[in-house]
Amino acid sequence: MTWADIVRLVDQHPRLAVGQSQIAAAREGVRAAGAAPNPTLEASVGHGRATEGSASRVEWGLALNIPLGWIAQRRARIDAAEAEVDVATAEAKALRREVLVQLGALFWNVGYDQARVDALAVLSGQTSGLARAVGIRVQKGEARPLELPRVEVEREKVAGEREAARISLEARQAQLAVWLGAPPGKRVTAAGDLTASPTPLDLE
């Protein structure tokens, strides 16, 4: 994958999806802040008696309450809800940049480890060839016997560095694959020019 591929995929990251959901929820909060509250209807029933005499009857009562206080508070509530949208948007942008920084570090480290493994593979082959050449020279008496162990030690040292680099590469590739949501068993390789520095994020 190239860095451009990762930038295109970053918006599918679960953490960024949460940020978009928070923005959507804040926008719904603006709509709710501007909505009129529901009126309330109260009903009552009772047995009424006349103040004079023995007459009585069932009394019914209905009351409709329409709150008007929201009219004075409506603008302030909408402003507060819109500010929540701005906060959620800013947090989502900051989170996207944070994810890009983490993915960028992983991507370029994978690219570096790939180049390191390739370079150590070439060096390992050259060291092995040198060890064979020295062994032949020692057999012919053209070199001191001490030279062969020295070359063998160097060959083993390069082989150890190559194995350590391979393990580091596989670990970082697996980490990058998890970040990108790659299918299990798939390996992510970085395709990029290590001689060119990645473009830094703008100051804003």
Side-chain angles (χ1 to χ4, degrees):
M1 300 187 73
T2 64
W3 176 242
D5 295 332
I6 292 179
V7 172
R8 281 194 298 270
L9 292 172
V10 72
D11 290 323
Q12 300 175 12
H13 195 277
R15 291 178 65 189
L16 298 186
V18 170
Q20 294 302 317
S21 297
Q22 290 174 343
I23 293 174
R27 286 176 178 158
E28 286 299 314
V30 174
R31 188 177 65 83
N38 293 326
T40 58
L41 178 65
E42 296 179 359
S44 61
V45 63
H47 193 74
R49 295 175 180 267
T51 55
E52 295 180 1
S54 61
S56 64
R57 65 179 180 183
V58 176
E59 296 285 342
W60 294 85
L62 291 174
L64 179 64
N65 295 322
I66 302 176
L68 300 177
W70 70 276
I71 297 175
Q73 301 172 358
R74 184 173 184 269
R75 184 69 260 167
R77 288 181 177 177
I78 291 175
D79 290 343
E82 288 175 346
E84 290 292 336
V85 173
D86 294 339
V87 169
T89 302
E91 287 178 348
K93 287 181 179 178
L95 182 59
R96 187 177 191 275
R97 290 181 185 275
E98 179 185 338
V99 170
L100 277 175
V101 166
Q102 293 174 342
L103 286 176
L106 271 176
F107 175 81
W108 292 107
N109 279 327
V110 167
Y112 167 76
D113 282 346
Q114 288 174 178
R116 186 164 177 255
V117 167
D118 293 341
L120 286 173
V122 173
L123 182 59
S124 178
Q126 293 173 344
T127 307
S128 297
L130 179 61
R132 287 192 298 271
V134 170
I136 293 172
R137 290 189 65 195
V138 168
Q139 287 177 356
K140 292 182 177 180
E142 297 176 358
R144 293 178 300 173
L146 186 60
E147 296 294 327
L148 185 58
R150 288 180 178 176
V151 176
E152 290 292 338
V153 168
E154 188 64 25
R155 184 175 65 83
E156 291 299 323
K157 180 181 176 182
V158 171
E161 290 179 0
R162 180 186 179 188
E163 183 63 17
R166 186 189 63 79
I167 292 172
S168 175
L169 172 61
E170 289 180 354
R172 283 177 169 160
Q173 284 177 326
Q175 191 176 4
L176 185 59
V178 170
W179 268 92
L180 296 175
K186 294 292 184 180
R187 181 176 298 180
V188 178
T189 58
D193 183 8
L194 293 179
T195 62
S197 298
T199 303
L201 298 175
D202 56 28
L203 185 59
E204 293 182 0

